[in-house]
Each structure stands twice: as C-alpha cells, then as structure tokens.
Amino acid sequence: MNKKLIALAVAGAMATPAAMADVSVYGQIHLSANMYSSGYGENDTADGANHKTLGLSSNVSRIGVKGEEKLNNGWTAWFKGDWFVDWSNSRTMWKADDTKAGFKGDWGVLSLGRQAGPLKVLGRKTDLFGNTIGDTRAITSEALTDARFAQSVAYVTPTMSGFTGIVAYTAGTDTGGEGVSPPVKKANAWTLAALYGNGPLFVGFAYEHLNKELIQQLIGTAGTADAAYKDWRLAGSYKIGDLKLLAHVGQGKAFTLNSGGTTRGTKRTVWGIGASYKMGNNVLKAQYAAAGKCKGCATESSTKSSLWAIGVDHIMSKRVKVYALYAKMKNDSNAAATLGGHSGFGGQVAINDGVDPGAFSIGTVIKF
C-alpha cells in the first residue's frame, strides 16, 4: 500500500479536520546478529551470568510520520514523530524517539518537543559505526549528555557561507529522554553547536550544560550533585575522492566508566579517529576511540578504555544494505566499558572492571 495513503489513514484516525498538504510515513528496520567472542563469561559480568552467546539486536529500528504545510506568510508549518520498534524481541514495541513540530522559513527552523541535542547531532555525523556494537558512544558519552531531550525548544539558523548554528533549551529531561515532571526551578539544560560544511570539509563544535538542580532531580536525592554536568566536542571530516577521514575530541564532566564509580565531580577526555573507503557497492571502514583517565574518581589510576572496530558495508540498493563488523573493547583494570551501549543486547550486559569484550556482528538496514 502506498505509504502516503497509510499516513493519511493515520491522520484520519486522529480525527483531524483536514490532512496537511504533504504527509508521509518513513522509517527503517535495522537488525543484527551479534556473536560475543570474549568477555561476557561467568567471571566477567556484574550479574555473574554467562552472556557469551549469539544475540539478536533491533538497532534503532523505527517507524515515523512527518508532514508540512506552506502558509500564506511564507512560513512552513511542519511536524515529525518517530517511534522505536523492537523488531527482534519485545511485544511491547513502541517507544518515542524524536517527536517534534514547529515552523521554518528564510529565518531558520524553530522546533518544539522531544529531540536530539546539538551535541548528539554532531556526534552522529562523525561515527562510522553508529547504532551498532561498534558505536563510539559506549565510551565517549555520559548518559545524561549527548542525549535526546524532552520538553525542549531548538532553533537552527539558515546556512550562511557554509555556517549553521543550533541552540536548544530544555525545561527538564531524564536519562531516557523523558520529561521531568513536575518542573523544578533551575532544573534545566541548554546546548549549542556551530557547524561548517564546504565541499569535502565538515567541522563542528558543540557544548551541553545541565544545571546541577536538574541532576539532583535525575539521581533522586537533592543536594548530592555539587556541580553542573558539562560536555563539549570538536569533530570533523574530510573527503578525498572515495576516501573519507574523520576525527573528534571532547571532554565530559561527571563521566565514569567503571562499575563501582560515581560521576560526581569527575572529568574525562575522549577522542577518536576513523576512515572509510568506497569501492563500488562496498564501503570499507575502520575506527578507533579512546577515553582517558577518570580525573576526580575515587581511584584515578588504570581507568582508561579504548574501542576499535573494522567492518564493511555492502550497498544492495538505495534503501538496503548489509554489513559485517568486528569490535573490541580494551579496559584498564579499573574500567568497565561495555560494547554497544546504545544498540541492544551488548549494552544490557554490565561487566566487571578490567574485562575486554569483543564481538562479531552481521546486520542489515532496510529504509522506507
């Protein structure tokens, strides 16, 4: 069935008086079979179980609906909503991803709702293995930052000579992107980014600031967060024919990767490099990311982690690809970063300090 007809049926079911001029359904199915080759043994995991097995992940599979309507004043009203769908396991399938609406024109884009912060937007542009077991967020991001924020307002400037600016404010959000309710004075966050793209060159800087009052709400005990959470990132990429090079560096305050650690008052620097090369319908990829010493942790020594991944994408059509990859995490004796923190089975397994998990993954992405 034509997906625009499906979208109109959805709009009708919501009892709207008239459909917008341009409404469509979109989405993707992203499934992978992951074989965890090391780590995840009985003596490796925090729960004591043996997770060294084959796991099937639904890696940010989603279904969405979007639309827009041109207005007489030259503006355009628009909306976009998509929901995660667990295509591999759960019968409780739906979970909100981006759900936002707003206006756009020559003056830029205004959006309101639940949406990715500018730091997250920048990070997704410079990760060759996003939403797989090789996702760099396993070691470069704190759960409270590099996030999707609820109850937020964002403004994106028009692109001027290659430059674009983004600024966003949230009235309160938790680690899962849910709104904090009821609202609390000063329990808020703000983020911004400056992006530049010109031909083969892309570079961007982003910053996030979560007030300590918001952190107190998230961790459930007033007064236990003694400082705001801060995260900044500088990232870029450059294309030379079929070769693409990328790099990023950043620092997060209140960021820990060890199983018994606390994020209070800590600081960590992260960085990474990567390259991809297109050969016909195949894209070869390699990436390395590292997280430095956890400054301010109760134990600062031996708290570094690193992640490398290699893989190949095979492009079968404009909307379908298959891939294979291998990822390996290396943890110091006081670090416990696990694979695939944002992509299914692997991220659900907490490991003990000093364990070095690795995994093979074969997957497919089907867009519509």
Side-chain angles (χ1 to χ4, degrees), residues 349-364:
V349 182
I351 62 173
N352 293 321
D353 290 351
V355 175
D356 301 331
F360 292 95
S361 182
I362 299 175
T364 183

Side-chain angles (χ1 to χ4, degrees), residues 83-295:
W83 291 263
F84 293 125
V85 182
D86 189 339
W87 221 268
S88 65
N89 182 36
S90 177
R91 288 186 292 179
T92 306
M93 296 181 69
W94 299 92
K95 183 179 180 181
D97 187 18
D98 273 15
T99 49
K100 56 187 180 180
F103 299 92
K104 61 183 179 180
D106 294 339
W107 46 267
V109 180
L110 176 68
S111 61
L112 303 90
R114 183 178 187 272
Q115 52 196 315
L119 187 76
K120 181 180 178 68
V121 172
L122 177 60
R124 297 300 80 206
K125 289 181 178 291
T126 52
D127 189 346
L128 294 172
F129 294 93
N131 299 324
T132 72
I133 60 168
D135 195 314
T136 58
R137 286 176 293 179
I139 62 172
T140 63
S141 302
E142 162 60 34
L144 301 177
T145 60
D146 193 5
R148 183 172 283 104
F149 293 108
Q151 302 184 153
S152 67
V153 180
Y155 169 68
V156 182
T157 71
T159 299
M160 297 171 286
S161 300
F163 287 96
T164 304
I166 309 173
V167 61
Y169 172 86
T170 180
T173 188
D174 66 14
T175 57
E178 300 294 335
V180 174
S181 183
V184 177
K185 184 179 180 180
K186 296 184 179 180
N188 51 37
W190 58 271
T191 67
L192 57 84
L195 311 176
Y196 175 76
N198 184 8
L201 175 65
F202 168 78
V203 64
F205 176 82
Y207 177 81
E208 287 189 357
H209 185 283
L210 281 68
N211 285 356
K212 67 178 182 179
E213 288 82 0
L214 174 59
I215 308 306
Q216 291 169 358
Q217 294 297 310
L218 301 183
I219 60 182
T221 306
T224 56
D226 54 6
Y229 281 20
K230 304 172 185 178
D231 203 345
W232 64 264
R233 179 173 298 154
L234 176 66
S237 63
Y238 190 79
K239 292 190 69 175
I240 308 171
D242 291 326
L243 176 66
K244 182 178 182 179
L245 306 173
L246 53 85
H248 63 87
V249 63
Q251 187 179 88
K253 186 174 182 180
F255 183 22
T256 184
L257 292 172
N258 58 316
S259 60
T262 174
T263 60
R264 185 180 178 188
T266 65
K267 183 169 59 175
R268 187 188 296 271
T269 299
V270 297
W271 64 276
I273 55 174
S276 66
Y277 186 75
K278 190 174 187 301
M279 299 175 59
N281 290 336
N282 299 308
V283 181
L284 307 178
K285 304 188 296 185
Q287 187 166 270
Y288 176 84
K293 180 172 67 174
C294 182
K295 299 178 181 179

Side-chain angles (χ1 to χ4, degrees), residues 72-89:
N72 293 333
N73 62 357
W75 294 14
T76 298
W78 62 273
F79 72 91
K80 175 181 180 291
D82 51 59
W83 291 263
F84 293 125
V85 182
D86 189 339
W87 221 268
S88 65
N89 182 36

